[in-house]
Amino acid sequence: MYTTSYEMLEKAKKGGYAVGAFNAENMEMIKAIIAAAEELKAPVMIQTTPSTVKYGTLETFAAITRAEAEKVSVPVCLHLDHGASFDMAVKAIQIGYGSVMIDGSKLELDANIALSKSVADVGRACGIPVEAELGKVGGKEDDTESKESVYTDPDEAKRFVEETRVDSLAIGIGTAHGVYKEKPVLNTKRISEVKEVVSIPLVLHGSSGLSDEDVRDCVKRGMCKVNFATELRQAYLKATRELLAADDSIIDPKKIGEAAMKAVKAQVEYRIKVCGCDGKA
Ligand code: 13P
Ligand code: ZN
């Protein structure tokens, strides 16, 4: 079922679990994510970054995801991840994305508020939920790079949500995008502190490489959407490399796609269980 993220995130907030949000780069990853969600009866979000959109276009990702989602019973939401501008976010809404993020986290607070509010206003008018980010996730995701990760200030978060009226909020607690070179120091207490003053669902970015224990702690404290990108790319490429190393006679791209889908599906199933959203659809 192709849907928005309103209901699945509200249910997650009430139920004390998180919806897994998985980045896809192509049809194989979309199919693998949906197959995992259907098998585990989990609501799921599929997300595309600006560079992925540049590679495949919003229209194509929306068409593939909608066609695949309509074959299954679980709710599937297509989300624009790290939307880079007002125009990009609005275009995703027009094309049929079920959720969009506007990432103004590199801006000063007032400018981030103004940008996020402008997208939230359009989203509300169109019935599409909007995620924004306050504080910073470290590392590199797409063209978004931050040297250090900055913890979100709870007072700023309260003001930000009141003024922007966004539907969900990504906050900085010490995670980073990409591969961790050393174990991250997470300020999970900060999630509880923000949750005290903000009632909308909170979102965790940079989740690849976090231990099961850390993810569960973040979810218990109030994260309702947990984003995984790097781990899926790694699973996809590991399976591809292994297959080609084992058999250099392969000439059918479908053989590579099948092996990659199997690996991505297994990784998504594992993370769905860690997020606790299996059986919640
Ligand atoms: P990772 O690449 O660390 O999993 O981060 C995912 C993410 O936050 C996507 O927005
Ligand atoms: Zn992210």
Side-chain angles (χ1 to χ4, degrees), residues 22-272:
F22 301 98
N23 286 64
E25 315 293 346
N26 57 20
M27 180 194 77
E28 284 75 10
M29 294 179 85
I30 292 170
K31 284 173 83 83
I33 295 163
I34 293 178
E38 178 72 350
E39 188 150 316
L40 295 178
K41 294 289 164 246
V44 76
M45 291 179 73
I46 295 178
Q47 44 191 25
T48 59
T49 61
S51 77
T52 305
V53 166
K54 194 166 166 226
Y55 172 72
T57 75
L58 290 166
E59 292 87 344
T60 299
F61 282 110
I64 296 173
T65 306
R66 189 185 285 275
E68 291 299 316
E70 281 169 0
K71 296 176 190 164
V72 298
S73 62
V74 296
V76 177
C77 173
L78 179 62
H79 171 82
L80 176 69
D81 191 27
H82 294 285
S85 66
F86 175 85
D87 288 354
M88 185 187 286
V90 171
K91 192 165 178 224
I93 291 172
Q94 285 168 339
I95 279 165
Y97 272 54
S99 175
V100 297
M101 176 185 188
I102 180 71
D103 184 354
S105 62
K106 276 188 288 190
L107 304 173
E108 293 299 324
L109 179 61
D110 286 341
N112 188 0
I113 288 176
L115 176 64
S116 302
K117 181 181 182 309
S118 68
V119 177
D121 287 346
V122 175
R124 200 172 322 108
C126 300
I128 297 300
V130 174
E131 174 185 329
E133 178 168 324
L134 181 64
K136 287 192 178 64
V137 178
K140 186 163 165 53
E141 171 70 46
D142 236 25
D143 302 326
T144 309
E145 182 159 19
S146 174
K147 290 276 175 293
E148 85 281 43
S149 82
V150 176
Y151 302 145
T152 301
D153 178 83
D155 293 335
E156 282 187 6
K158 185 171 185 290
R159 181 184 155 209
F160 186 92
V161 171
E162 280 168 5
E163 293 187 17
T164 61
R165 299 178 63 201
V166 293
D167 301 279
S168 60
L169 184 66
I171 60 170
I173 61 144
T175 58
H177 292 116
V179 179
Y180 287 106
K181 291 188 188 80
E182 50 201 62
K183 197 172 158 23
V185 182
L186 302 186
N187 182 353
T188 55
K189 217 171 127 237
R190 183 53 55 95
I191 306 169
S192 311
E193 290 161 357
V194 174
K195 202 190 164 203
E196 287 259 307
V197 293
V198 162
S199 62
I200 57 172
L202 301 177
V203 180
L204 182 64
H205 282 246
S207 316
S208 287
L210 296 186
S211 67
D212 296 357
E213 208 187 348
D214 278 342
V215 174
R216 287 198 189 102
D217 187 27
C218 290
V219 172
K220 206 175 83 196
R221 289 175 180 274
M223 290 296 190
C224 301
K225 169 177 179 263
V226 180
N227 289 3
F228 299 98
T230 303
E231 285 179 358
L232 273 62
R233 296 172 187 150
Q234 287 171 323
Y236 189 106
L237 286 162
K238 181 168 181 281
T240 303
R241 283 196 188 98
E242 281 173 6
L243 181 73
L244 294 176
D247 182 355
D248 65 4
S249 70
I250 291 174
I251 53 158
D252 182 353
K254 294 194 288 299
K255 289 265 178 293
I256 302 168
E258 278 157 7
M261 277 193 280
K262 197 167 160 221
V264 172
K265 179 170 176 264
Q267 183 64 30
V268 172
E269 283 180 8
Y270 156 56
R271 284 313 202 173
I272 280 176

